Every structure is written in C-alpha cells, then in structure tokens.
Amino acid sequence: MGHERRKPVTLLEVAAKAGVSRMTVSKVLREVGSISDDTRQRVRQAAQELGYLPNSLAGSLSSRKSQMVAVIIPSISDIVFSEVLSGVNSVLRPTGFQTFIGESGFEPETETELIRAMLSFRPAGILMNGGMARSADAEGLLARRNCPAIQLWDCDRRALDFSAGPSHEEAGRLVANHFIERGLRRIAYVGAELDKDLCARRRYLALNASLAAAGIDLLSVTCEDRPRQAVTGRFLTEQLVREHPEIDAIHFLNDAMALGGLSYLHEAGFPVPERISVVGFNGTSLANAVRTRLSTIDVPRTAIGEKAAQALLQMIEDEDVPEFWQAPLVLVQGNTTAAA
Amino acid sequence: MGHERRKPVTLLEVAAKAGVSRMTVSKVLREVGSISDDTRQRVRQAAQELGYLPNSLAGSLSSRKSQMVAVIIPSISDIVFSEVLSGVNSVLRPTGFQTFIGESGFEPETETELIRAMLSFRPAGILMNGGMARSADAEGLLARRNCPAIQLWDCDRRALDFSAGPSHEEAGRLVANHFIERGLRRIAYVGAELDKDLCARRRYLALNASLAAAGIDLLSVTCEDRPRQAVTGRFLTEQLVREHPEIDAIHFLNDAMALGGLSYLHEAGFPVPERISVVGFNGTSLANAVRTRLSTIDVPRTAIGEKAAQALLQMIEDEDVPEFWQAPLVLVQGNTTAAA
DNA sequence: GGAGCTAATGTTATCGATAACCTAAGCTTA
DNA sequence: TAAGCTTAGGTTATCGATAACATTAGCTCC
C-alpha cells in the first residue's frame, strides 16, 4: 500500500469522462448555475467513478472563499476546551464549515507560527483563546488578517472582532464573596503556570483585590513549571498546609487541581469542609465524580463556543455583531464549602 | 476593528517595492536559488514592511508540496490523545511541518467529512486514530490519497502505511493474567461506548478470552450512551456492585472511569484492594493524584506520537519504513490490587 | 581572445479551480 | 414575427504562487 499514487483526478478528467466542459462539472458539483438533469447525472456519475476530490487549494485560491475555520487553543489536554470546541462545531458543522485546530502549547512562539500557518490558507475565520501573552509578530499577523477573528474564553479584555467568554474578574470576586459570607478569613490560592494563563491570573488578582477590600490577606502558593493538573494541586496543597496549617479555605486554579488538593487534605486529616473549605473553577464533570461534590464556578463552555461560532457566521455574512458576549457564571455550592 | 481589510499583500507588491521581479522575491523568501546579499536585504525589508504573508493556497498548488500535516482524532477531550499529539509535534515542529487537527467526535460521518476536507488541501501526510468504524466513503478517500497515511493507537489491526500503537489484545491479556495470578476469579469489566471505540472493545474481548481460557466467566457492565468518564465509571460501578456484590476484581475501560468507580467503592464500603481489586488503563497522570495509586496499564503515549511522526517524515523522504511500531505495555502495580 | 562557467535575475508556462462574461437554441409575447 | 427572455452550456481571464528554462554580465583559463 504505497502512497505515491497517480496524480489526483482533476475537473478536466471528470469533464472528459462526462463529455462536457470543466466549467459545467464545476457548476454541477457546487450546485450553482443551471444545468440539465441529464448532464447533472452524467457529471455526478463520472465524478463518483473517478473518485474526484476537489482541490481546495485551487478552489479557494480562485474564489477567494474558504470553508475552513481555524481554531487555535493553548492545549488540547485542557478538558475545558473540548466543550467550547464542541459548541463551535455544533453551530459550524451544519453550515459546511470545517474546523481545523492548532495547539500552541501555551508557547507564544508556537502560537505565532500557527497563526501564520493557518492564515496562510486564508480561512473563513479564526478563533483563538484570549488570555495568552501574544508575540508582536502574532499581533502583526492578526492585524493584517482578512477574515473575522474571535477571542474565546475571555471577556474582560476585549480583543479581535468579538469576544466570547466569562469575566474572570467576576469569577475571582464570586469566590471572594463566597468565602467572606461564610466567615472564612485565612484564605489561600493554589495555582500553576499563571505566567502563561493570563485569564487564571486575572481571577487570582480579582480574588486578591476583593479579599483585600475586606481586610483579608490572600496567601498564594503557585509554581510556573508544573502542569495545571491534579498532581500539581496535590503537591502544592501539601506544601501549603505544611507551612500554613492555619488556613481555612483554598481556591484552586481549576477543578483538576482542586481534586488533587482534596485528596491530600483527606489523607492528611484536614476534614473538608469542616476544617478547610475548597472551591475550584470550571464545573467540569470531573467535579462530581468523587465522593465530594466540589464547590466550583460553573462556566457555560458549550454556550461560549456556540455564541462564538454564531458571531463568526454573522460576520462572514457581513452582518453587524456586538463586541462581545459575556458568559454567565454561577458558583455551584457542593459539599466542600459549608453552607453560609 | 473591521475584518474587511484591504486585499492581502502579494509577491508582486513586494517585488515592486523592492524593485525586482516576483520570482526573485519568491526565491529570497524560500531561500533557494542564488541571490545577492544586497537584493536579499531589500526584498526582506520590503516584505517585512508590507507585512507580506505568503499564500499557501497558491504556493502549494503550484509546487504540489505542503507543510501541513493532518491529524484526525476522535475526541480532543480524551486526555489520552494529547500526549500522542505532543509526541507528534515534538518531532514535526522542528522540521517546519504544521499539524492541523480535526475532531471527529467518534462519528463516522463527521470523520469522513474531515478526511475529505483535510485531504482536499493536499497535506504532506495524514495521521488518524485506528479502532474506529470507518465509512465506505472514508475508505475510498483514503485509498485515493496521494500522501502517506499513518494509523495511531492501534497495532493489532494494521492499516494505512504505518501503524503506531499498543496491542490492545496484549493489554487485555495482561490484565487477565494479573487477576489470575492473584487468585481473583469473580471478575467484572466496566466500560462505555464500546460500539465506537473498537480498540477498547478489543481489550475487553482479549480479557474475556484469556479469562475464559482459565475457566473464568467475565461479567461486563457497559453502556453505549454515556461518556467514557469518571461519572460513568461511578454510575456503572454502583449498578455493578448492587447486582453483583460478590465480585472481587474490576477492570475499567480507562483510568478516568476507574477513578469514578473507586470513589463509589470507597463510599459504599468496599475496601480496595482488600475486598475488590481495581485496574485501569492508560497510565494517565490522573492515576496518581488521588490517595490511591491506581493499578493500570501504562501506555507510552508520547513515544507513539514520536514514532508515528518519524515514520511520516521518512515516508515523505521516500525512505523505506517498516509496517508498524508496537508500543510496549507495562502493567503498573499501584495499591488498588494486592501483591500476588 | 573567445569558449565555457558561474552568479544573479528575469520570462513563460502551469498548478486546478472559479468569476464573469458570452453564445446559441428554444420560447414568450405584444 | 421580431424583440426579448430563459435555459444550458462554453470561453477566457485570473487567483498567487513556483518550476523550468532563458538571459545577461562578468570571469576564468587555456
């Protein structure tokens, strides 16, 4: 099964087989223009028999149109993103647009190359996560793009043509109030890679500011060189309670880290929520799988993707679109924080 | 910030600005041919100042070459895949190839459209997960592709030009032997979506066969309409032990489901491993985050991606490549199965 | 000193489609 | 019945690059 097969079939070959011109084949396959039923049949059959696959390079070059929508995300392993993407796809798919994904790995250099690569195919639109430090080259590429561009996951700092996402500042404030209402005052924050994920950093800063306004000092335990996953949550929590056994509430960067932290707290004999309250972020289904129902902030991820895709379609149609859509946030009370 | 910007800059404009022909610009930017340092400078600067971005549609169409590598995966939320992909990228990136990802959502229909869309851009290569039911159209498209194609994640059933992945049958046998060696005889399997994930199904069948050979009946609890995640593992385990409290070992489809199951077992008062042994599959970092260190089968995911990418590069260079690479599997003994 | 190189650049054809316009036949309709 | 419209299809130019070959000037070298 070699791959050095014959040259792919072109319109010309289909045309020859069907006994018509290339243009006629093109019209039949795109269902434009007026073609008799008889010809239509012959062309379809010829294309089918030859296994004709249109060449999008030629097609898009010529028509200056594309069915490709580029999506660039920091990490495909971040569970968070998959639902945003499925929201995007659920709206885009029925319209015939195809989503092509690029993964930047949180590296600005890689992200820049991805933007360059994707834009060089002149996509119909581009969606990218907000909250990343972007290189100057990337900004330049985006500034000169000739398609609509949408920022996902961030609504505090608007960018590109449309932003769909939560206010991370609001999220930070929600958690702060949640703790304050419950009379918790020795509060810690556990996170990782805050230098890369600026959205998470903004949540942290808002939490910090809200607590400060209430006269509370926030203790933070973070590291930049470990993944934002359960293992890291567990590791940092261990470090935290060893040095500060007095704390009575922890907010984690995300649910995965919170679960890691919880596992350590149980093991080390810190009852949750009696002794320490825990709040995560995201509302991933993960959160309800363990015996504890994690208190967390639920983010409507699918809706974010849907709104983004809808806005994209409208912009492609040259319709007017608002500047942003702010995703509603809900702090879901589980059993890792005591009732107020 | 509208998106209906001016027409993108073309080679011709750069050429005019630099006072040379298009061909010269093309050669400078691709670093081929011989061009004087002076001209090279002027062209580079002109391109820079105009913000020239090559049009890959035109470039690839003309040269019949591409820097794009297509990857089609069933689900980006499946943690498993992210590491395979990072292995792929670590090899491909330095060579200048760009990975474009498509997500099929386990739907053959969607997968077919993705294959069509990606192949229509004439990529340098295509990588796809094995173990999915593929539509006839998809097979046709793949048969007529004119680039190397590689199957990931499955090495039992070889397909395309190269296969990189574990033997899922071996995995099933490993688990069976693990249980048998420990004298466990009331064994259950918990999984989901086995109709879609044929690799998982093959593990299950091998487990079943190996146990049968030892005179053991395997009890299986599965469902097709729930995700292969922790919640489902928990739900099915609850159902399992309610109806069959006598079982003494469970193999889960993956680690996520195993963790969900574990949480229920703890809660329901089934000590692990004293009363019930548990084995997962994958060796995700998740496995070590909770108090229990899950016994599981470690799959070298990054290596799979690397081998696949290396094979792809070799095929692009027209070098000979073996038919497959079988990923070594290790059953990692945690503390959810008692020592033999 | 001219045949033969090499280096630096330009010309032309082509990749595989689509846009925009054109043509011829058949049909209305006043 | 001739102007005018439809229908079905074809022609030509173009999209933005690259491959392959052509050209020109300066140099080498016997």
Side-chain angles (χ1 to χ4, degrees):
Chain A
M1 129 114 45
H3 61 275
E4 6 45 29
R5 1 218 107 225
R6 62 221 144 302
K7 267 182 50 181
V9 179
T10 68
L11 269 192
L12 191 56
E13 296 167 60
V14 178
K17 176 150 190 164
V20 296
S21 72
R22 295 192 307 179
M23 203 61 232
T24 303
V25 177
S26 175
K27 284 175 181 163
V28 169
L29 298 181
R30 284 179 301 143
E31 309 193 28
V32 302
S34 86
I35 306 288
S36 71
D37 280 351
D38 176 53
T39 305
R40 206 185 297 275
Q41 292 287 346
R42 287 208 321 284
V43 169
R44 288 237 176 81
Q45 176 153 4
Q48 173 74 37
E49 282 173 13
L50 292 173
Y52 172 72
L53 174 66
N55 183 327
S56 296
L57 299 170
S60 292
L61 176 62
S62 174
S63 67
R64 300 144 163 289
K65 290 199 175 84
S66 175
Q67 294 299 101
M68 159 185 179
V69 170
V71 180
I72 298 178
I73 60 182
S75 161
I76 66 164
S77 69
D78 218 322
I79 325 97
V80 158
F81 205 80
S82 67
E83 287 178 42
V84 174
L85 189 75
S86 85
V88 169
N89 280 339
S90 71
V91 172
L92 249 36
R93 184 101 55 203
T95 67
F97 285 102
Q98 279 290 347
T99 306
F100 286 17
I101 308 164
E103 186 192 27
S104 72
F106 276 111
E107 293 162 35
E109 185 62 27
T110 305
E111 193 200 33
T112 306
E113 284 318 306
L114 268 173
I115 295 174
R116 192 190 309 282
M118 305 223 100
L119 286 183
S120 80
F121 282 97
R122 309 286 132 103
I126 182 167
L127 313 184
M128 6 189 353
N129 243 32
M132 259 198 67
R134 202 112 70 211
S135 76
D137 279 359
E139 296 292 1
L141 285 163
L142 288 171
R144 278 187 300 272
R145 75 189 185 275
N146 68 332
C147 66
I150 288 180
Q151 169 174 261
L152 296 168
W153 197 242
D154 187 3
C155 191
D156 292 314
R157 193 175 66 98
R158 319 267 162 74
L160 306 179
D161 301 318
F162 181 83
S163 299
S167 160
H168 294 273
E169 294 177 3
E170 182 193 354
R173 286 195 300 269
L174 280 175
V175 175
N177 291 339
H178 188 74
F179 286 154
I180 293 171
E181 283 169 9
R182 282 158 184 74
L184 304 166
R185 302 192 59 85
R186 298 166 181 285
I187 299 172
Y189 172 83
V190 170
E193 297 186 314
L194 288 183
D195 55 338
K196 294 176 180 167
D197 183 344
L198 304 183
C199 289
R201 153 172 253 123
R202 218 176 305 126
R203 295 198 294 276
Y204 161 69
L205 291 175
L207 170 67
N208 199 4
S210 293
L211 292 177
I216 300 176
D217 270 352
L218 177 62
L219 186 68
S220 96
V221 183
T222 63
C223 64
E224 305 302 354
D225 53 356
R226 287 166 184 261
R228 304 153 348 131
Q229 292 170 6
V231 268
T232 308
R234 186 184 163 89
F235 169 79
L236 293 177
T237 303
E238 187 172 348
Q239 188 178 312
L240 168 67
V241 297
R242 186 162 31 234
E243 295 172 20
H244 301 278
E246 76 280 6
I247 60 123
D248 54 20
I250 311 177
H251 177 40
F252 286 86
L253 179 141
N254 62 22
D255 287 351
M257 293 188 73
L259 291 183
L262 276 178
S263 84
Y264 178 76
L265 292 176
H266 280 128
E267 204 169 314
F270 288 87
V272 174
E274 298 77 11
R275 175 67 184 74
I276 295 183
S277 287
V278 167
V279 173
F281 178 80
N282 272 340
T284 53
S285 67
L286 206 72
N288 299 319
V290 288
R291 116 200 33 195
T292 41
R293 292 192 330 284
L294 183 62
S295 291
T296 191
I297 293 192
D298 188 32
V299 187
R301 293 181 294 282
T302 307
I304 291 174
E306 289 166 356
K307 295 289 180 180
Q310 281 155 3
L312 182 67
L313 291 176
Q314 287 180 273
M315 301 178 78
I316 289 174
E317 300 291 334
D318 264 327
E319 292 169 28
D320 275 338
V321 166
E323 198 194 341
F324 67 98
W325 179 74
Q326 177 168 345
L329 294 179
V330 179
L331 200 156
V332 180
Q333 161 100 41
N335 58 11
T336 60
T337 46
Chain B
M1 132 111 45
H3 61 276
E4 3 47 28
R5 1 219 106 225
R6 62 218 144 304
K7 268 183 51 182
V9 179
T10 69
L11 269 192
L12 191 56
E13 297 168 59
V14 178
K17 175 149 192 166
V20 296
S21 72
R22 296 193 305 179
M23 204 59 231
T24 302
V25 177
S26 175
K27 284 175 181 163
V28 169
L29 298 181
R30 284 180 300 143
E31 309 194 27
V32 302
S34 85
I35 305 289
S36 71
D37 281 351
D38 176 53
T39 305
R40 205 185 298 275
Q41 291 287 349
R42 287 209 320 285
V43 168
R44 289 238 174 80
Q45 176 154 4
Q48 173 74 36
E49 283 173 14
L50 293 174
Y52 173 71
L53 174 66
N55 184 328
S56 296
L57 299 169
S60 292
L61 175 62
S62 174
S63 68
R64 298 144 164 291
K65 290 200 173 84
S66 175
Q67 294 299 103
M68 159 185 179
V69 170
V71 180
I72 298 178
I73 60 182
S75 160
I76 66 163
S77 69
D78 218 320
I79 324 95
V80 158
F81 204 81
S82 67
E83 287 178 41
V84 174
L85 190 75
S86 85
V88 169
N89 280 338
S90 71
V91 172
L92 250 34
R93 185 101 54 202
T95 68
F97 285 102
Q98 279 290 346
T99 307
F100 286 17
I101 309 164
E103 186 192 26
S104 72
F106 277 110
E107 293 161 35
E109 185 62 27
T110 305
E111 192 199 33
T112 305
E113 286 317 308
L114 267 173
I115 295 173
R116 192 191 309 281
M118 305 221 103
L119 287 183
S120 80
F121 283 97
R122 308 287 131 102
I126 182 167
L127 314 185
M128 7 190 350
N129 243 32
M132 259 197 67
R134 202 112 70 210
S135 76
D137 279 358
E139 297 290 2
L141 285 163
L142 287 171
R144 277 186 302 271
R145 75 189 185 276
N146 67 332
C147 66
I150 288 180
Q151 169 174 262
L152 297 169
W153 197 242
D154 187 2
C155 190
D156 291 315
R157 194 175 65 100
R158 318 268 161 75
L160 307 179
D161 301 317
F162 181 83
S163 299
S167 159
H168 294 275
E169 294 177 2
E170 182 193 354
R173 287 195 299 270
L174 280 175
V175 175
N177 291 339
H178 188 74
F179 287 152
I180 293 171
E181 284 169 10
R182 281 159 185 74
L184 304 165
R185 301 191 61 86
R186 297 165 182 284
I187 299 172
Y189 172 85
V190 170
E193 297 187 313
L194 288 183
D195 55 338
K196 294 176 178 166
D197 183 345
L198 304 183
C199 290
R201 153 172 254 125
R202 218 175 305 123
R203 295 197 293 276
Y204 161 70
L205 291 174
L207 171 69
N208 198 5
S210 294
L211 292 177
I216 300 176
D217 270 352
L218 177 62
L219 186 67
S220 97
V221 182
T222 62
C223 64
E224 306 301 355
D225 53 355
R226 287 165 185 261
R228 306 155 342 132
Q229 291 168 7
V231 268
T232 308
R234 185 184 163 88
F235 169 80
L236 293 176
T237 303
E238 187 172 348
Q239 186 178 314
L240 168 66
V241 298
R242 184 162 33 234
E243 294 173 19
H244 301 277
E246 76 281 6
I247 60 122
D248 53 20
I250 311 176
H251 176 40
F252 286 86
L253 179 141
N254 62 22
D255 287 352
M257 293 188 72
L259 290 184
L262 276 178
S263 84
Y264 178 77
L265 292 176
H266 279 130
E267 203 170 314
F270 289 87
V272 174
E274 296 78 12
R275 175 69 184 72
I276 296 183
S277 287
V278 168
V279 173
F281 179 79
N282 272 338
T284 53
S285 65
L286 207 70
N288 298 320
V290 289
R291 114 198 37 192
T292 41
R293 291 193 330 285
L294 183 62
S295 291
T296 191
I297 293 190
D298 188 32
V299 186
R301 293 180 294 282
T302 307
I304 290 174
E306 289 166 356
K307 295 288 182 184
Q310 281 155 4
L312 182 67
L313 290 176
Q314 288 180 272
M315 301 179 80
I316 289 174
E317 301 291 333
D318 264 327
E319 293 169 28
D320 275 339
V321 166
E323 198 193 342
F324 67 97
W325 179 75
Q326 178 168 344
L329 294 179
V330 178
L331 199 156
V332 179
Q333 162 100 40
N335 59 11
T336 59
T337 47

